[in-house]
Amino acid sequence: MKKIAIFVQSITIEYSIEILTGIADFYKDKDVKLIIGQIKAPSSAKGIYEYQNWSAAHYLVSDDIDGILFVAGGFPSETIHNNLVPLLKQFKNKPVVSITTDLEHDNLTYTHTDCSDAYNDVIHHLKTKHGCKRFAFMTAALRHASESEERFEAFKKALRKNGLKFNKNLVLDSDFTPPTSKAVILNRYKSKADIDFDAIISASDLMATGIYDAFNEIGVKVPDDVKLIGFDDSVHASTSSPSMSTINQNMIKQGYTGAHLLWRKLEGNNIPRKYDFITEPLYRQSCGCIPMTTFGDVFKTSEGKLLHKEQIQKDNPKENRQFFNFLEEIDDFYALFDISRSAVTIKKLSIKMPDMMKISKISNMAVCFFDKPKCIKKETDFSLPERMTVSMILYGKSEKIKFDPGITFNPREEVYPENIFPEEKGFFILQPIFSGELNYGYLLCQLESKEIAVYSIFLKILINTIAQAYEYTTTKEVNDLLSKENLVLQKDNSSLNVQKNTDELSHILNRRGFLEYGQRQINIATEMNTKGLVIYGDMDGLKRINDTYGHEMGDAAIQCQAQVLSHSFRINDIVARIGGDEFAAVAVGMPIEQLPKLRKKIEKYSIEFSKQFNLPFTISCSIGAAEFSTEFSSLQELLSAADKELYEEKRIKHAENELNRI
C-alpha cells in the first residue's frame, strides 16, 4: 500500500476543496493512504497560533512517504520558495507533483494553468460585444502569488493582441481577499463619478466579490456601469448577484490529473516536467450576456453557446457547496463541545473519544505525543524529534480502544507506526495538537465524509480538548507528587534531622529548608513542564514596631505574619521565613496574573490575624514575584528577580504613604 502526502494550505478554501475532490476521485479504487496536512504557513497571519499547523509539513517528508502532491494555490510565493522548497529537498528523489507551480526538485512534475487564450477571448468579447475600451485589472500582488502574476501578464498580452493600450494607472493591487479588494477600490474611488474604466478584470472570483461590495457602496451598477470578470468559476461566481462572468480553470479536473500523474510516476513511468491545462471563459450576468431576469446558473461559452450548469454536471459535478453545509453541522458542533467539557483527563478523554469520533465523522484515530511538549514560537522553525509515543488508538467501526498501548516510534522514519492502521486506505488528516505556543504532538484521523471543510472545526475542538486534558492530567500528577513530598516533609518535621530546617520563632521553614525543599518542588514541576511562582515577601515597618512596642511584640508580629502567609497560600505551596522580616514561597501552577488576588488575600488575613494575636497594630506585608519555567528554574536567581519586584512595590507603597500624609 502506497502512502501519499498532500500538502495543502487550508481545507476551508474552495480551491483546496475542489483539488482534493479530484484527488479523491482518482484514488477511490487504488490501494493508497492519502495523508492531508493543512500546513498553513510558518508565519500565518490567520489566528494567533495557527502557525503551529506548519509542523505537519515536517511529518509528511518522513522516510515512509512514497510521493507528495503539493496543492500550491493559496500559498504566497515567498512561503513556497523560502520554506517549502527547502523542506521538499529533504524528500530526496521521491516523486512530487505540484499543482500549478514549478518547484526546485529533481523528480518533479507540475501542472500549469494556461490562461493566455482565455484572456484574449475575454478582452475580445468585452471590446466587440459590449464596447469596452478602458480596462482595469485587480492583481493579487500584495500576496506575491505567481498565479496572479501570470494572469496579469496574460491580460497585458491580450490587450496588445486586441489593439488596446495598457494603462498602469488602472492596475489595482490586492491580496486574494474580499475585504482588501473592497478597501483598494474605496481608497481610490470615492463615488461613481470617479470610476475611469468601463470593465474590470479580477485575478480571482474572491477579489471580485470585494469589488462588488465596493461598487454597491458608491453606487456603481454591474453590468450597466462597469463589466466585471473574475477567475476560477468558484461557488462565489455562480451564487453572486449578478452572477459573475469568469474563467473556469476546472480545479476538480486539475486535482484528478495531478493524482494521475503522481500515480504514473510511482509506477515508474517517465512523465514530462510540465503538464498544461487550458482555461475557458464563461459569460454570465456581470458582463451583460445573461439577462438579470434569468435564474439559475446559466452562462454562455466563448462560442456563444447557452448552457445551464446542471447540463454539464451529471458525471462530475463542478459546483461544491461545502461552505453552505456548516448550518447542517451546528448541532454536531454543539454536541462535540458538550462532550469535550467532561473529558478533563487523558483517561476520561479516551472514554469519551468514541462518541466524539462519531459526531466528527472520523473512522479511526491515533493520538501521538512528544515525550515533553515543545514550545514553538512564531518565526521559529519546527524541529522534528526522533521519538514519539502513541497515547491512544481508536477504531471507530468496532469502537475498540487501545489506551496507552506503549508504542514508540521515530517520526523521521515513519509518519506513524505501520501496525496501527495496516489495512486501512483512504483519506487521512494529520493534525498537530497545540494550545498557544505549546505543541504536544499530532492526531491522525481517517475521514468518513467527503465534505472536508467541516473537519476544520471538528479538528479544532478535538485538539483543544486533547491539549486541555493533557495539561490537566500533567498538573494533577505534579500536585500528587507535591502532596507526597509534603507528607514526607511533615513526617520529617517531627524528627530531629529536619529541625535544622525549621525556623524556631515562626515554626515554618527557615532559609536552609526553603532552598532545599523549594528547589525540589521547582525541579519536579519543570520536569512535568509546569510553571509557577516564587514569591519574596517583606514585613512592613518591623523596625518601627520593635522601636515602639519592644522586641517581644516584634516577635509576635513575625509569628502573626507567618500564620498570615501560611493561610494565604495553598496546602501544596512551600512557605518559609528566610530572614528577620523576610519571607518566601514557592507556588507551583500559580500564574503571575494571580498576584493581585494573592495580595488582597494577604491583606485580608493580616487584619484578621492581627486581631487574633491581640496586636495593638495591624501588620502588613509587601510581596514581589518571579515566574519559573523550564528555562528559568534556579531558586536563588528567582528569589533575586522576585526581590526586585518587591522593591518596586515598596517604592510604590512609600510614595502612596507620602501622598496621604500631604
Side-chain angles (χ1 to χ4, degrees), residues 71-86:
V71 184
F75 287 101
S77 296
E78 67 268 22
T79 294
I80 292 174
H81 293 288
N82 296 344
N83 303 102
L84 283 164
V85 169

Side-chain angles (χ1 to χ4, degrees), residues 535-561:
I535 290 99
Y536 202 121
D538 185 56
M539 288 184 66
D540 297 325
L542 181 61
K543 183 179 183 304
R544 179 176 53 79
I545 292 171
N546 285 330
D547 292 344
T548 305
Y549 300 100
H551 285 278
E552 285 188 10
M553 191 59 71
D555 288 348
I558 290 171
Q559 292 172 330
C560 181
Q561 187 67 72

Side-chain angles (χ1 to χ4, degrees), residues 342-353 403 469 472-473:
S342 61
V344 293
T345 66
I346 293 294
K347 184 67 176 177
K348 287 184 178 179
L349 175 65
S350 69
I351 297 170
K352 299 290 184 182
M353 192 59 85
F403 178 69
Y472 185 89
T473 302

